[in-house]
Amino acid sequence: MNKKEQWWDTKHDRYASEDWISKPTIFARWVIAYLPKNGRLLDVAAGHGQDSVYFARQGFSVIATDFSEKAIQYINKNITPDIKGKITTQKVDLSKKLPFEDNMFDIVYGHLAVHYFTNKITDKVFKELKRILKPGGIIALLVNSTKDPEYETGRKIEEDYFELSPGDFKHFFTIDYMRLKSKGLEEVFIDDNGTTYKDNAKGVFNLIRYVGKKVS
């Protein structure tokens, strides 16, 4: 196990004690209005899989992925009998070529999933997400923004990309940056008013919400 995976394993163990970890995220419950009624959904960097479980219960066929083996274990524990067979899990490193066929998914979904990489790797991530999405398919992403209180803290690695503390890397997006990376997709919705349960409790709404459609 490398240091990066070990860091995430520790974080997922810490998340296990949070009261919000077993319920669908605010973003998942909001974005479902933009999704088709059914289809194959890929949840990237799914964490404990609370959104994967939610989408499976809404009738989607879900592949829940994460870089952390500990996260995969948590997801598997959360697959209850009523959705068994509607979710499969797979360990996937989002920074590398994805082990999926072209045009495979109706929906590609990521809750705080794609903002951990350098600009170069982020380009590769978006290229892969577009590749595996079917024509007419939807991509839905929630990411940190440059309006975040943590922005410009820690060690700067490159533009808008910081190591906030040892092992904690984060890329802060702007709306323009999201539009640049998602070029080639039809923009359905974008703003920087997204939130999480933790942020909502503080009255903080600055995460970028993005919904796009693959037109060809």
Side-chain angles (χ1 to χ4, degrees), residues 136-154:
I138 295 292
I139 183 167
L141 302 171
L142 183 74
V143 299
N144 276 327
S145 80
T146 54
K147 294 182 179 180
D148 192 283
E150 291 183 322
Y151 179 62
E152 292 190 322
T153 63

Side-chain angles (χ1 to χ4, degrees), residues 114-119 122 144-148 150-153 155-164 169-178 181 208:
V114 302
H115 57 212
Y116 296 107
F117 312 109
T118 63
N119 180 62
T122 301
N144 276 327
S145 80
T146 54
K147 294 182 179 180
D148 192 283
E150 291 183 322
Y151 179 62
E152 292 190 322
T153 63
R155 179 174 68 94
K156 183 175 182 179
I157 297 172
E158 63 179 40
E159 187 70 22
D160 297 334
Y161 185 59
F162 300 85
E163 184 177 23
L164 305 181
F169 296 90
K170 200 163 289 185
H171 194 154
F172 298 87
F173 284 33
T174 63
I175 286 178
D176 285 344
Y177 185 81
M178 176 63 87
K181 298 307 160 186
I208 292 176

